[in-house]
Amino acid sequence: MIMEKKNLDWANLGFGYMPTDYRYVSNFKNGAWDEGVLTKDAFVTISECAGILHYCQEVFEGLKAYTTEDGHIVTFRPDLNAQRMMDSARRLEMPPFPAERFVKAVEEVVKANAAWVPPYGSGATLYIRPYMFASSPVIGVKPAEEYQFRMFVTPVGPYFKGGVKPLTICVSDFDRAAPHGTGHIKAGLNYAMSLHAYVSAHEKGFDENMFLDPATRTCVEETGGANFLFVDRDGGIVIPQSGSILPSITRRSLTVVARDILGLKVEERPVKLSELENFAECGVCGTAAVICPVGKVVDHGREICFSSGMEKMGPVIQKLYDTLTGIQMGRVEGPEGWIHTIL
Ligand SMILES: *Cc1c(COP(=O)(O)O)cnc(C)c1O
C-alpha cells in the first residue's frame, strides 16, 4: 500500500487531541438522519440554547484503528461500539444512529485520514471518537428535536510509554452511578460528575478511583473510565458484575480471550471490597490501555498490595495483554469477526 504518512514523531505522541484532515457529520432533523458527509471543518456551531448545553443530552464512543504487521489498517469490533452507542442514545431519549451507518462512517473517516494512522511497530494508534448531542434549542425540560452525530480521529501515542507503571488506586468516598441510573451507558454526564472525585484522588497522590456500588458501598464497580478485572490465586479471572458498570468492549473481549484462547476459568459475579486481599493480580481495562495493572488499592487506612507488585504486569494480565494486542495488530488469530479491515 502506497501512502504518504504525516511526518509525526509517532512513538512520542501523548494522549491528546490533534485535529486531522476529515471528520464525519450527520444531522437528525424532522425525524430522520440525513446522508452524512465528510468535512474539513473541525468546529461545531449551535444555538446558545442547544439541548446539549443545558440538559446534557450527549453520548459518545471510543475505539481505535491499528496498522497490522502486514500493513493493513483495521479496527477492532466496531459493531459493538455501534450497538453500545444505540443503547446509550435510547437511554437519553436520543434517536439512535443506525449501527451499519456507524460502521460505514468509521470506514470513511479512517480511510480519509489514512495518512494519520500510525505505522506498525510505533506503539501509536489512531483514536476514533464518535459522539452525538442535542443541537436544537431546549429550554423547558424535554428531549431536543434535532441532533448531530460526529466522528473525528486523532493519533495517540503508546499508552505504556517509558514502560509499564502499575497504578495506585484509592477507594472513593464519592459515588459514580446509582442503581437503575446511567452508569451502564457511555454518556458525558457520567464523566462530568466524576471529575471532582478524579481531581481529589490526584491531589492525594492516587492515579484513579475505585468506585463502589452506591446502594451498599460493599462491592467493587469500576474506575469511572475502565473496568476492573481480577486474577485469583489459582489463576482464574474474576470480573465484577453490576448493572451500573459500563460494559467495556475490552473487558468483554479479554473475557473471551481468557476463556476460549488461554483456557482460564472466568467468573462474573459481584466482588466484595472485603475480598480484595484474596486476589493475586488486578487490572483495569479499556480501549486506551487494553489493560493496565493495578499494584495497590488504598481503602482509607487499609492497603491492599497485589503480589504482582509496582514494577510490572503480573503473569496472567501480561498474557491477556499480549494476546489481545496480538489480535489487534494481526500477529495472533482472533475469533471470527473481531478484526474489521478498512484498507
Ligand atoms: C469507555 C468506558 C470504559 C471502557 O470501555 P471500552 O469499550 O473497553 O473502551 C469503561 N468504563 C467507562 C465508564 C467508560 O466510559
Side-chain angles (χ1 to χ4, degrees), residues 271-282:
V271 171
K272 294 247 184 266
L273 179 60
S274 59
E275 62 174 304
L276 293 189
E277 277 88 351
N278 300 338
F279 295 120
E281 300 177 42
C282 172

Side-chain angles (χ1 to χ4, degrees), residues 84 176 186 191 222 224-227 246 248-250 285-287:
R84 189 170 65 185
R176 184 185 93 90
K186 210 165 175 73
Y191 281 80
E222 62 165 307
N227 286 182
L246 191 283
S248 158
I249 293 165
T250 313
C285 344
T287 294

Side-chain angles (χ1 to χ4, degrees), residues 222-236:
E222 62 165 307
T223 67
N227 286 182
F228 282 105
L229 176 154
F230 298 98
V231 181
D232 67 22
R233 296 254 164 85
D234 302 322

Side-chain angles (χ1 to χ4, degrees), residues 1 50 64 96 119 129 153 222 232 245 263 266 290 328:
M1 193 190 333
K64 284 173 164 184
R129 168 53 61 88
V153 299
E222 62 165 307
D232 67 22
I245 293 177
V266 179
V290 173
Q328 291 168 335

